[in-house]
Structures are given as structure tokens and as C-alpha cells.
Amino acid sequence: MRDTYQRRAKGVPKTAKELEATAPSSSVLVAELCDDLLRHIQSKPNVYKDQRNPPYRIGLIKERFGDRPAASIRPYEIADWLDSVGRAPATVNRYKVTFSSIYRYGKQRDKIQVNPTREVSQHKLNNGVIRYLQPEEETRLRAVLQGEIDACGLQNERRRKRLLHRIYELDVALGTGMRKGEQYGLRWTDIDFTRRVITLRDTKNGSSRTVPMIDDVVYAFRELRKLSLGRKNRSADRPNDAPGDIVFGIGDNKKWWAAALREAKIKNLRWHDLRHIFCSRLAQAGVSLKVIQEAAGHKTIAMSARYAHMDHTTLHNAMSVLNRTSSDTHYQLK
């Protein structure tokens, strides 16, 4: 009886052949793991909202390591490759996350036992300085956008609509602080004009939230709806898969944004910096960190505190209270 109990508790030892049959194969190629994760991502578009960047990164990893057995990849090889891609630290870290996801999903499917990316260090990010859009810079930027509209005239109606669209994109970004993916993934069912709120579903933090709409944002959305622009197909064999009720008819602003910044002579300003500017302007207006946290959808109030910096003019004015009021108190050189 005791022997039977021990056998049940510990289980019957497996033979070498049985262990070999159930163990993940050492011959599984990286390409196979890449294909598995890619199919998984593409089969769940409601879970993986970004159907462009992860597949692109998977493709680069497959191109570089695809013909290698997954178990043979060493951490230093991954680190060397990440150093060679020539991208910003934040982007390199996203490549590392994708690489790790390939192995992690492979382990879930019992195809691999190791994950060499776990031993690869993240690249350090310089989060100390936040880019602030000065009032004169915003004035120049808006003048460039309006100048293109004026130069277009009324003859080319479609181009004029697309130029107007750019201004409303900017207004929504500065007036809501939404992340780029949140903004360009909006559908008209997410916009409630009666309650004046935007509903963001499945955000970066894994939960839904609502964003209040100020007058500028309400106006921008109403004008966007009048434009009735839809996203174009990339080519005859690559139709656009955006939903029919997508809010923004322009889904990628990289080209026009870079061109407008060059024309306005503005340097080192990313679209994501508009989110920082949104938070900073609230802080400078005296809005509490708790309100900023709710408005921006930060997971912790500490994240909001990072954006609650002052521009130099505000800081100088605040520090002026330390000045001695009488010139008689200043030391005089003998």
C-alpha cells in the first residue's frame, strides 16, 4: 500500500525515449517561432491593436536569425544585433521585447525551453528632459499648415480637405494628450458629442478610460466628420483594413509632420511630445497632479509628476520672490 502511494505521489519515472518524445526539439528554427507568433498576433486584431510594428519587427528578426536553431542563439548575439540596428534606445527596447515574445510564445507551445533575451539588458532611456513647444514655435507651425491650405485654394478639393485634416489632428493631440495609437485608432462610436467625452478601449494600461473634450476638440471632431475622408488602399493587392467608421482619414502622419516641422524651423519635436506638452500645460495652469493623472491615463501619479515641470519663464518668475527688494542690500565692489 505504501509503495503504491509513493508511486502515485511521485509518478512513474519516464524512460529516456519518453523524455525525448516530450521534450521540445532542439532543431526548431527561429523562423518557425517567428511565424507562430505572427499568426497569433494577426489572428487577434482586437487584442493586438498594432498590426504594423510588431509584424515588421518579427520580420527583421526572422531575416537575421530565421535559419538558426532557436536553442543555439546566444544572448550576446542578440545584444550585438540590437546595437547594430541604429535606432533610438526606446525603439531598440521594443525590438528586444518582440524578440523575447517570440521565445516566450514558443515556450508556451512547448517548442523551446530557453529564452536568451532574458539575459540581454535594456537600453537606458534619457527621460530627464521633456521637449516643450514654445508659443512662438506653435505659431510658426500653425502658420505653415494654414499657408499650405491658402496656397491650395478651392480648385483641389481633396487636397484641401487633407490639409485641413492635419490641423485637426494637431488640435486633438494638444487638446486631449492621447497617445498616437489611441488617437489614430478612434472610431466614431468612441466619440460622444452629447456627454463631450471620448472613450478609449483597451489602452496601454490594459483598461478603458474616458477623455473629456474641450471646445477646440469638439470643433475639430465636427469638422473631421464633415470632411468624410477615408483611408486609401496601399495598392491594388493591399487593401486598407481600417474600419469603415475610423475617425482619422489619414492614418500615418510621419511625412507631413516632418515636412511641417522643417518648414517651421522646429527641431527635435516628436508627435509623442505633444502628449508631454498637454500634461505640462495643465501643470503650469495650476491643475493638480491627480487631475493630470486622470486626463492622461497615467497608471501612477508619479508618472504625472514627471511632466509637471515648469518652462524657464514661469520658473524665473516664481524664483523672483527670492530677490532682495532694495538695491541697498546688494554688496558693492570696493
Side-chain angles (χ1 to χ4, degrees):
M1 177 68 70
R2 183 178 179 182
D3 181 63
T4 302
Y5 174 79
Q6 287 179 336
R7 288 174 63 86
R8 286 177 181 172
K10 297 181 180 180
V12 180
K14 294 184 178 180
T15 65
K17 287 186 177 181
E18 289 173 331
L19 289 171
E20 183 178 353
T22 57
S25 174
S26 60
S27 63
V28 173
L29 301 181
V30 173
E32 182 177 341
L33 299 184
C34 288
D35 292 341
D36 287 344
L37 181 60
L38 182 61
R39 281 193 295 269
H40 176 69
I41 290 174
Q42 293 176 335
S43 68
K44 298 181 180 297
N46 292 331
V47 177
Y48 300 97
K49 302 289 186 180
D50 187 352
Q51 289 284 321
R52 176 183 299 180
N53 291 307
Y56 173 75
R57 297 178 201 130
I58 291 172
L60 292 181
I61 295 169
K62 181 178 178 180
E63 180 181 350
R64 174 62 181 82
F65 297 96
D67 60 349
R68 296 271 304 278
S72 73
I73 306 298
R74 314 315 305 162
Y76 72 84
E77 294 181 282
I78 299 174
D80 290 347
W81 177 72
L82 291 173
D83 289 337
S84 71
V85 297
R87 301 296 182 90
T91 302
V92 172
N93 287 341
R94 294 187 188 101
Y95 278 61
K96 177 184 177 297
V97 169
T98 302
F99 216 138
S100 182
S101 298
I102 290 170
Y103 273 87
R104 189 164 59 250
Y105 189 66
K107 289 182 69 176
Q108 292 174 2
R109 297 173 66 84
D110 292 329
K111 289 191 174 184
I112 194 72
Q113 289 181 314
V114 298
N115 186 351
T117 57
R118 296 183 63 180
E119 299 179 39
V120 179
S121 300
Q122 291 273 94
H123 281 221
K124 290 185 178 180
L125 305 180
N126 182 14
N127 292 325
V129 178
I130 298 174
R131 176 65 161 92
Y132 187 79
L133 181 66
Q134 299 297 334
E136 59 270 20
E137 289 181 319
E138 183 175 352
T139 298
R140 295 203 307 269
L141 177 59
R142 290 187 178 278
V144 167
L145 297 177
Q146 186 61 50
E148 291 184 339
I149 295 171
D150 296 339
C152 176
L154 301 176
Q155 294 81 6
N156 191 337
E157 182 183 3
R158 179 167 179 80
R159 173 165 173 75
R160 181 179 175 82
K161 285 183 176 182
R162 293 180 70 82
L163 293 175
L164 284 167
H165 191 287
R166 297 173 182 179
I167 292 181
Y168 303 140
E169 292 174 65
L170 178 63
D171 288 341
V172 170
L174 286 173
T176 64
M178 287 188 290
R179 300 176 180 90
K180 185 176 181 180
E182 293 171 343
Q183 177 174 340
Y184 289 94
L186 283 177
R187 301 168 71 167
W188 284 115
T189 51
D190 300 324
I191 313 298
D192 188 333
F193 288 103
T194 303
R195 295 173 53 225
R196 293 170 66 96
V197 295
I198 305 165
T199 300
L200 301 178
R201 311 177 193 281
D202 301 324
T203 64
K204 181 180 179 180
N205 292 334
S207 59
S208 299
R209 66 184 177 94
T210 57
V211 179
M213 292 193 293
I214 61 176
D215 292 344
D216 290 349
V217 173
V218 171
Y219 177 81
F221 279 131
R222 291 193 187 280
E223 294 302 307
L224 280 168
R225 192 158 59 175
K226 292 178 185 177
L227 295 179
S228 299
L229 289 176
R231 297 187 183 176
K232 299 186 299 184
N233 294 333
R234 296 172 187 167
S235 61
D237 59 340
R238 296 179 65 191
N240 194 291
D241 56 359
D245 63 341
I246 201 77
V247 172
F248 291 94
I250 300 174
D252 190 350
N253 61 15
K254 287 183 180 179
K255 289 185 178 180
W256 77 256
W257 177 246
L261 293 179
R262 285 195 301 270
E263 183 69 20
K265 295 181 173 54
I266 298 174
K267 297 180 179 180
N268 302 322
L269 183 69
R270 306 164 302 164
W271 187 266
H272 187 73
D273 290 325
L274 302 181
R275 175 169 165 81
H276 303 333
I277 294 161
F278 166 82
C279 296
S280 299
R281 289 178 174 176
L282 289 177
Q284 290 168 23
V287 175
S288 71
L289 290 181
K290 184 60 180 176
V291 172
I292 295 174
Q293 179 189 4
E294 292 292 329
H298 292 149
K299 199 166 188 177
T300 65
I301 202 167
M303 297 177 67
S304 304
R306 173 175 173 262
Y307 299 106
H309 70 293
M310 296 288 185
D311 66 280
H312 285 172
T313 301
T314 306
L315 186 57
H316 287 164
N317 290 339
M319 291 176 63
S320 66
V321 301
L322 301 177
N323 284 326
R324 286 168 289 174
T325 58
S326 173
S327 60
D328 294 338
T329 60
H330 292 167
Y331 291 105
Q332 301 294 325
L333 292 175
K334 300 294 185 181

